Amino acid sequence: MIGEFGYNLLSTRIMKRFITYFVALFALVACDKSLEPEELIPETPATQTVSINVQLAEPATRAVINDTGSGAASFSWENGDQIGVVVEGKYYCFTLSGKTNESLGTFTAELPGGATIEDGAQIAFPYIAEDYNEGTHTFTLTYPTEYTSSKDGDFRHRWAGTLSQDGSGNFHANLSHQTAILRITYANVPAEATAVQLTADQNLAGSSKTIKTNLSWHASTMNFYFPVPAGTYNSFTIQLLNGETPIDGTQKTLANSAMTLETGKIYRTPTVALGPKKILVAYFSFTNNTQVIATSMADILGADTYQITPS
């Protein structure tokens, strides 16, 4: 049996150990901040969808083209049009996703989380990724050597300028033309034409003197618009193509000692009227069987016939 003195001594030792363990545990908890409740800090999303409203109807925005020829020339924004905008040292593509009316459009892009568009941001139309060098922070318009035309009246051109805020949450796109525009008109366009090509006596796109427009539509009379750097030219040569192959009889050269083209103007060339092709079906028939087949072919092709006879 443990006496009273021994019991008290044991109880004292247990109590001291308990107090020592408790103090050590308290100190450990106090030093371990990971056990404390942290203040919740909202995370910045990796990307964000940013929409900007841009005034579309102003002359400074539309950069109205002065037409030096007869007839009207106009440009209108369409859903899907893309402008490039420099945001915090990087170049992003903004796509026209909808128009409130003819004077206000909404352009949308995916930007890094927290990125904002500054007043006076550099912009270009259409968006071409190579326009901006992020390493040197330089902005230089590039001119493609190949385009695609999806309808009559497609303008092939380059605009550049800045975005400015108007204080009401909208932006103004202060754009100006960077090229002159050469309008080429062909009449009686052959059905096999899939492209039209323009060649000048000096460079039109980078180091290339030739630019090409592929066609996804066809009509008897077709108008093509080529962007041409402002300057003085001595000659232009145009040619219809079937794929990469020139179509015989469709080449035309426009030559002058000094053709000065100004930025923001359309220059209309004389219409190239192509005559309808004449097809001849020549045949030799001994029993007249070949003559029947040749005549049927000529009717289908709208061709003339010529019978070969022995001398």
Side-chain angles (χ1 to χ4, degrees), residues 50-55 104-107 117 119 163-172:
V50 175
S51 296
I52 57 175
N53 294 322
V54 179
Q55 297 287 348
L104 188 65
T106 300
F107 288 82
I117 301 172
D119 189 38
L163 279 178
S164 59
Q165 294 177 322
D166 61 6
S168 61
N170 298 328
F171 285 87
H172 293 260

Side-chain angles (χ1 to χ4, degrees), residues 158-182:
R158 300 246 47 204
W159 292 349
T162 59
L163 279 178
S164 59
Q165 294 177 322
D166 61 6
S168 61
N170 298 328
F171 285 87
H172 293 260
N174 306 303
L175 291 165
S176 61
H177 280 283
Q178 303 299 305
T179 64
I181 298 173
L182 196 64

